[in-house]
Amino acid sequence: MELKKVEQQWNSFPEISMEERPILSSDLEKVVVANPLSDAFYLKNKLLVRVYIGAVLWLLNAWQLKVQWRTDGDDLYQQAALFVSLSWFIYFNARLLLFADYPTLLALPLISFLNKLETVLDKYILSFKFISGLAGFYLLGGIELLLSGWSKSAQESLSHNDWYKWLILIFISVSVDILLMHTIIPGYRKLLTAVHKYKEGIQAKAQNK
């Protein structure tokens, strides 16, 4: 009954083309963002989690960078690079969250709404590149920690050889990126395609009328 009522509300605007009709926020899931589009809309919590986790890691890294700077440690440049990467990661995700503008997103006309969803999804997929890079730093740190417990000499040899460390970091980052491209990212690409096809279908119907 509720869905039928919503459809009647939409049909009460014959002078407005379909792509210009407003989004009804109370019935978003039932009418506009029916599965799988609901996953495209509800990225807000994932972006917030990323920003929170990034902020915690950023604070921890800032402290580590300060220690390395004072002691002129072997990991100074690595910690500085990680600091920059984390700063950019937080900025990118926070900017994407602000761009999505979730409080007012539902006030957009349908086509503008779907265009914005497409952009948010595209940028969200791109953000996995940053995750791959950050994974490289933290997995390299894990390798050094394991080596310190297994072979102190091997750990010290790696710590004093920046060339090998950066090669390992790049290898790990690329490997994680390839793994994400074959596991998590395809699902979001399918979602992006679904949003695009949904928009194209609406535009085609509007042009045929």
Side-chain angles (χ1 to χ4, degrees):
M1 282 297 294
E2 192 173 346
L3 179 57
K4 187 176 180 180
K5 183 180 177 182
V6 173
E7 290 173 346
Q8 288 174 349
Q9 286 179 307
W10 274 48
N11 292 328
S12 66
F13 302 102
E15 73 283 359
I16 303 177
S17 62
M18 187 174 182
E19 68 270 18
E20 292 176 336
R21 290 177 183 174
I23 303 297
L24 304 176
S25 60
S26 60
D27 299 281
L28 180 65
E29 290 185 83
K30 301 183 187 71
V31 180
V32 182
V33 201
N35 191 41
L37 300 185
S38 57
D39 292 331
F41 180 74
Y42 293 110
L43 289 175
K44 180 180 179 180
N45 291 338
K46 294 179 181 179
L47 290 169
L48 284 171
V49 168
R50 284 185 175 190
V51 172
Y52 291 148
I53 293 176
V56 171
L57 293 176
W58 186 89
L59 290 172
L60 179 61
N61 175 249
W63 175 77
Q64 291 175 325
L65 181 60
K66 183 178 179 181
V67 171
Q68 289 289 318
W69 178 268
R70 286 182 173 179
T71 60
D72 194 23
D74 297 324
D75 293 333
L76 177 61
Y77 293 112
Q78 180 183 329
Q79 293 298 328
L82 179 56
F83 181 83
V84 173
S85 299
L86 283 169
S87 299
W88 185 253
F89 175 76
I90 295 169
Y91 168 76
F92 186 92
N93 285 280
R95 186 169 177 265
L96 183 57
L97 188 62
L98 292 173
F99 171 80
D101 193 17
Y102 282 91
T104 60
L105 192 60
L106 303 180
L108 294 174
L110 182 55
I111 294 300
S112 299
F113 173 82
L114 293 173
N115 279 333
K116 204 154 195 178
L117 279 189
E118 274 192 280
T119 303
V120 171
L121 270 171
D122 186 56
K123 299 297 183 184
Y124 188 78
I125 291 170
L126 179 62
S127 68
F128 282 99
K129 299 291 182 184
F130 296 103
I131 293 178
S132 301
L134 292 174
F137 283 102
Y138 287 104
L139 288 175
L140 175 60
I143 290 173
E144 290 186 276
L145 187 62
L146 286 174
L147 284 177
S148 65
W150 177 60
S151 173
K152 196 69 177 178
S153 59
Q155 189 268 334
E156 290 180 357
S157 177
L158 180 62
S159 297
H160 291 85
N161 196 322
D162 290 336
W163 175 251
Y164 283 133
K165 286 178 69 173
W166 286 106
L167 280 179
I168 293 172
L169 192 152
I170 293 170
F171 175 78
I172 294 173
S173 298
V174 172
S175 298
V176 172
D177 186 49
I178 293 172
L179 179 64
L180 291 175
M181 286 177 65
H182 288 85
T183 53
I184 297 175
I185 293 178
Y188 287 105
R189 291 202 183 278
K190 288 180 181 178
L191 195 55
L192 180 60
T193 302
V195 174
H196 185 70
K197 287 183 177 179
Y198 185 74
K199 183 186 74 174
E200 284 186 333
I202 291 173
Q203 289 175 322
K205 289 178 182 177
Q207 289 173 359
N208 292 333
K209 286 187 177 182

